[in-house]
Amino acid sequence: MDHLLPSFYQRVQERRDGVGACVVNATPGSFYGRLFPNNYIHFFQSSYSLHWLSQTPEELIKGAKPLNKGNIYITTTSSPIVFKAYLEQFQRDFSFFLKSRSDELKVGGIMVLTFQGREKAHEITHPLVVIGMLLKDMILEGLVEETKLDSFNLPIYFPTMEEVREVIEAEGSFTLQTLKTFKLGWDANLQDEVNGSLLDSKIRGEFIAKSIRVVFEPILTVEFGNEIMDELFSRFATKISQLIEFEALEYTNLVMSMGKA
Ligand SMILES: C[S@@+](CC[C@H](N)C(=O)[O-])C[C@H]1O[C@@H](n2cnc3c(N)ncnc32)[C@H](O)[C@@H]1O
């Protein structure tokens, strides 16, 4: 990012429309906890990050028997206990996030958040579900150890609008102004680039595989090893190319604005 800053500062200086001084700063630490002094910030914006939990729900791994056997996230076959464990982890984390930001926000301050969610309580269409299915196939072929898949759950959660609203209201530091969902194709960035031209499903599958690999490979490698990653994501690209012929593969995103209560 440092190589982009000089030209960014120059563009800010050249503006004549009364935009004030702008300071770019990096702050170490997790957003689940305090990052800035009290009453310090006028406006918070966070994009595409808050679906990451602070940790995998402990209930899923603390017993002798793995509760989300054969999956890396919630799927339609997961038991209600798995849904509940993920939801409760999200409620704890998001509530702590809201409390931390509200202490840092000045009175009258605003916060805008965008992150991935889900539309209906039981909608579980996500690339992670496809990855889970492929890992299961790879167990049958002896490429992945079953116990590794059984004990692994991603620290991620895609809430519904209602789940988000309930946490904001229960936590109480913010007054919700808007809360909406919008959809984005899994290959929306690629579609932007080609501007309406029709693309081959193989190219779309490969693009989606790369965009998922870049995010999830590091965490999957720790659990399943580097050796299977080429194979896993090559299978993933093929599977997505097939699926994309039959259904619109889209993320549900949540966007919300709120003021300090
Ligand atoms: C998909 S990127 C989004 C980056 C950027 N905001 C954007 O919209 O392009 C998700 C980011 O969330 C960050 N992240 C996840 N959990 C976090 C946490 N607890 N505290 C701070 N950053 C976190 C990751 O490090 C990653 O940079």
Side-chain angles (χ1 to χ4, degrees), residues 29-32 47-49 52:
S30 167
F31 48 55
Y32 295 124
S47 148
Y48 251 59
S49 302
W52 281 101

Side-chain angles (χ1 to χ4, degrees), residues 1-14:
M1 192 168 136
D2 54 341
H3 65 289
L4 297 173
L5 285 181
S7 65
F8 173 74
Y9 281 128
Q10 196 172 346
R11 273 186 287 135
V12 171
Q13 256 180 6
E14 281 163 9

Side-chain angles (χ1 to χ4, degrees), residues 61-81:
I61 37 180
K62 71 177 176 205
K65 249 182 40 200
L67 291 179
N68 200 21
K69 219 170 142 39
N71 299 314
I72 57 170
Y73 179 59
I74 306 166
T75 72
T76 40
T77 58
S78 302
S79 77
I81 300 171

Side-chain angles (χ1 to χ4, degrees), residues 207-225:
F207 178 86
I208 293 168
K210 280 189 190 145
S211 66
I212 293 299
R213 184 169 183 167
V214 79
V215 176
F216 291 102
E217 183 173 21
I219 195 165
L220 292 172
T221 297
V222 173
E223 184 69 11
F224 300 105

Side-chain angles (χ1 to χ4, degrees), residues 28-207:
S30 167
F31 48 55
Y32 295 124
R34 289 292 302 270
L35 293 169
F36 303 102
N38 282 341
N39 302 315
Y40 191 66
I41 303 284
H42 292 95
F43 177 75
F44 275 117
Q45 186 267 345
S46 166
S47 148
Y48 251 59
S49 302
L50 278 159
H51 44 259
W52 281 101
L53 299 171
S54 66
Q55 60 172 77
T56 294
E58 262 166 22
E59 297 87 314
L60 296 184
I61 37 180
K62 71 177 176 205
K65 249 182 40 200
L67 291 179
N68 200 21
K69 219 170 142 39
N71 299 314
I72 57 170
Y73 179 59
I74 306 166
T75 72
T76 40
T77 58
S78 302
S79 77
I81 300 171
V82 175
F83 272 91
K84 184 165 175 283
Y86 266 107
L87 174 61
E88 286 176 357
Q89 184 66 48
F90 170 74
Q91 289 169 332
R92 281 191 294 274
D93 284 345
F94 192 46
S95 188
F96 191 33
F97 173 86
L98 294 170
K99 169 83 181 89
S100 308
R101 296 298 79 73
S102 81
D103 288 345
E104 298 162 353
L105 205 58
K106 283 177 179 288
V107 175
I110 300 285
M111 182 155 79
V112 175
L113 309 175
T114 313
F115 49 94
Q116 279 188 33
R118 68 191 200 282
E119 202 154 49
K120 295 178 218 82
H122 289 282
E123 172 196 297
I124 315 284
T125 324
H126 197 276
L128 296 177
V129 176
V130 180
I131 299 260
M133 280 161 42
L134 295 171
L135 285 168
K136 239 187 210 169
D137 290 347
M138 289 169 83
I139 290 176
L140 298 178
E141 295 169 41
L143 299 171
V144 170
E145 273 177 53
E146 187 169 8
T147 49
K148 288 200 168 160
L149 179 60
D150 289 349
S151 60
F152 178 72
N153 296 288
L154 278 167
I156 219 162
Y157 185 68
F158 307 117
T160 62
M161 269 207 299
E162 270 326 298
E163 289 168 353
V164 164
R165 189 195 306 278
E166 273 168 25
V167 179
I168 295 171
E169 287 175 1
E171 196 279 326
S173 303
F174 287 93
T175 308
L176 195 56
Q177 295 164 336
T178 41
L179 174 59
K180 293 181 181 166
T181 60
F182 65 97
K183 300 254 186 184
L184 266 185
W186 292 3
D187 60 349
N189 291 343
L190 178 65
Q191 299 294 347
D192 277 353
E193 270 171 39
V194 298
N195 217 350
S197 335
L198 281 180
L199 282 176
D200 185 43
S201 47
K202 184 164 182 285
I203 294 177
R204 296 178 68 192
E206 279 167 3
F207 178 86

